[in-house]
Amino acid sequence: MRLICSIVLSLVCSFVFSQSNFFNPGKQWKDTNGVHINAHGGGMLFVDGAYYWYGEYKTSGRGGNTSLKGISCYSSKDLYNWKNEGIVLKVEQDHNSEITKGCVMERPKVVFNKKTGKYIMWFHLELKGQGYDAARAAVAISDTPNGPFKFKKSYRPNKGVWPINFDDKFKSASSDESALKSWTPEWREAIKNGMFIRRDFDKGQMSRDMTVYVDDNDKAYLIHASEDNLTLHISELIDDYLDFTEKWTRVAPADHNEAPAVFKKGGVYYMITSGCTGWDPNEARSFKSKSIWGPWESLGNPCIGKDASLTFHSQSTYILSVEGKKDQFIFMADRWKPDNPIDGSYIWLPITITDEKPILKWFDKWSLLDFKEN
Ligand code: DGJ
């Protein structure tokens, strides 16, 4: 009897505590409790020797993309083995709350503010029952990386402010634009010339897929899909990271980019994005710039090999700079499962940079030890 007990115990322990030393992109990724990690559209923060992975907590079934719980968090010392830290920003039961249960909370990104000592979470918020129309940026704050985060507010950035380098002649419409047929060359030209910026000028610019990038000088930026997802905006945050300075610019007007993820190497900023096809994968894009304010040069699809035209069946969410390893970056992406969102898996791949161009290659299995010098 004692022998059977000890065999069962050791089997349970080896199941529960089995350590992983590899990334297996696209496979089920179990946390230290043996449960598939539930942190989609995620972002990463390194604090005192540990990584914190924040993401959308999804549930089962077709409606599993609406937020029934909130934003989840996991912690790890090695990037392979993750402990569930629970829901760090909870949806609220109050029907009048902007983050009431049933809203949509996507792509949370947490950054640390050195001036205030606070952890600041930005995310994309859609109000309950309004589809994707609200298109708001939302912010929450915490004293510790593993929460609890307190929701502060949500709104559309840059209300009543023009982007930098925006020609005066485009501050008012030159003709009746409402008659333009969508997707025609004239319509695209009108978008490039700020048709949707003018449309949303008084209520604030749309903010859907987003990331936050903190630069070496501690300046932070929200990089967000705006103008009906046609144009990316880069909006500078104020010193406490809780609001916008009103300095902002546009990237790739009318080119339809989503899912921005940014990193910097050797003074050059790189951005990887996707096209816009809902939950379906499409071909990733990449850009580089010498300044966060642009001009951003298009570098095309960073993926090579089989399924490169579908980003290996995934969509970017974040680029992680590996701590203590100079210029080693991990591309983090989601393989969405819209019919059962909780099953969505994670595609993490090393980024190689060749001639100032990021390259992504598929690996079934890899580890940090495989990293080549960048
Ligand atoms: C693609 C976006 O990247 C996701 O975050 C999500 O908003 C879906 N579209 C919704 O269709």
Side-chain angles (χ1 to χ4, degrees):
M1 186 60 185
R2 193 181 271 181
L3 182 65
I4 293 175
C5 281
S6 84
I7 291 172
V8 169
L9 192 67
S10 82
L11 278 175
V12 169
C13 284
S14 71
F15 169 71
V16 173
F17 298 114
S18 69
Q19 292 277 310
S20 171
N21 297 313
F22 292 96
F23 301 111
N24 293 281
K27 294 279 171 345
Q28 208 185 46
W29 195 344
K30 289 180 174 164
D31 66 14
T32 51
N33 291 324
V35 180
H36 181 51
I37 293 172
N38 195 338
H40 310 264
M44 195 69 68
L45 182 69
F46 184 80
V47 184
D48 292 338
Y51 293 91
Y52 291 83
W53 174 356
Y54 304 89
E56 305 159 21
Y57 183 93
K58 307 266 195 195
T59 47
S60 308
R62 216 33 213 170
N65 185 54
T66 54
S67 292
L68 302 181
K69 299 268 187 209
I71 302 299
S72 55
C73 174
Y74 291 78
S75 63
S76 171
K77 295 220 151 111
D78 60 11
L79 290 172
Y80 307 109
N81 301 283
W82 292 91
K83 172 175 171 261
N84 188 351
E85 297 281 345
I87 302 296
V88 291
L89 174 64
K90 292 197 169 98
V91 294
E92 295 175 356
Q93 301 304 319
D94 176 359
H95 296 303
N96 296 317
S97 162
E98 291 165 14
I99 58 161
T100 191
K101 184 173 171 181
C103 66
V104 172
M105 296 158 107
E106 289 184 351
R107 300 183 173 268
K109 305 289 175 281
V110 175
V111 289
F112 178 65
N113 187 281
K114 288 186 191 154
K115 280 207 169 120
T116 60
K118 304 281 185 197
Y119 295 86
I120 312 296
M121 177 191 291
W122 282 92
F123 58 101
H124 165 203
L125 176 70
E126 294 296 345
L127 301 176
K128 184 176 178 182
Q130 297 187 21
Y132 278 79
D133 290 346
R136 291 188 184 195
V139 62
I141 186 165
S142 171
D143 291 329
T144 50
N146 55 354
F149 281 81
K150 192 171 165 358
F151 176 66
K152 281 191 87 72
K153 58 183 172 182
S154 77
Y155 56 122
R156 286 187 170 193
N158 301 315
K159 187 173 160 176
V161 205
W162 298 110
I164 57 169
N165 303 328
F166 192 69
D167 202 316
D168 278 348
K169 73 173 185 252
F170 294 131
K171 290 183 178 166
S172 52
S174 57
S175 59
D176 180 15
E177 296 170 327
S178 57
L180 290 175
K181 206 165 167 298
S182 301
W183 306 110
T184 56
E186 301 74 36
W187 177 85
R188 275 180 70 105
E189 196 54 27
I191 303 281
K192 280 191 190 159
N193 295 340
M195 177 164 74
F196 286 169
I197 294 181
R198 291 188 290 276
R199 181 195 67 187
D200 293 338
F201 189 74
D202 291 330
K203 55 178 180 256
Q205 301 297 326
M206 299 174 87
S207 185
R208 289 198 184 124
D209 279 11
M210 43 69 65
T211 192
V212 178
Y213 178 72
V214 181
D215 211 338
D216 308 328
N217 60 3
D218 297 328
K219 285 249 176 244
Y221 307 87
L222 183 80
I223 299 161
H224 49 117
S226 193
E227 303 178 38
D228 286 0
N229 291 346
L230 282 151
T231 301
L232 289 168
H233 291 182
I234 300 184
S235 301
E236 187 179 66
L237 296 173
I238 61 173
D239 284 356
D240 63 10
Y241 300 167
L242 289 168
D243 212 328
F244 300 97
T245 62
E246 302 194 336
K247 180 175 181 187
W248 66 285
T249 195
R250 304 165 83 205
V251 179
D255 276 354
H256 231 181
N257 285 278
E258 276 192 325
V262 173
F263 69 104
K264 187 179 181 183
K265 181 192 174 263
V268 179
Y269 299 82
Y270 295 91
M271 177 151 48
I272 296 181
T273 66
S274 73
C276 300
T277 49
W279 299 112
D280 294 332
N282 55 53
E283 187 171 284
R285 296 107 179 258
S286 61
F287 301 83
K288 73 170 179 180
S289 175
K290 292 239 154 58
S291 158
I292 194 81
W293 299 113
W296 288 84
E297 182 190 338
S298 171
L299 303 172
N301 184 2
C303 304
I304 55 174
K306 187 170 175 284
D307 294 331
S309 62
L310 292 175
T311 319
F312 314 113
H313 302 272
S314 72
Q315 187 185 30
S316 42
T317 180
Y318 193 72
I319 290 166
L320 161 65
S321 169
V322 179
E323 206 51 40
K325 297 213 166 199
K326 191 168 177 296
D327 294 337
Q328 301 205 327
F329 302 96
I330 298 178
F331 173 75
M332 292 170 53
D334 293 278
R335 191 171 276 177
W336 304 113
K337 290 275 162 31
D339 290 332
N340 201 31
I342 195 168
D343 283 345
S345 59
Y346 311 99
I347 306 298
W348 286 24
L349 294 170
I351 301 182
T352 311
I353 296 134
T354 309
D355 299 332
E356 292 197 350
K357 180 173 162 49
I359 306 284
L360 292 167
K361 253 171 68 183
W362 178 260
F363 292 92
D364 284 331
K365 184 178 178 182
W366 67 282
S367 90
L368 294 173
L369 299 174
D370 302 329
F371 254 124
K372 305 274 177 301
E373 276 290 295
N374 257 321

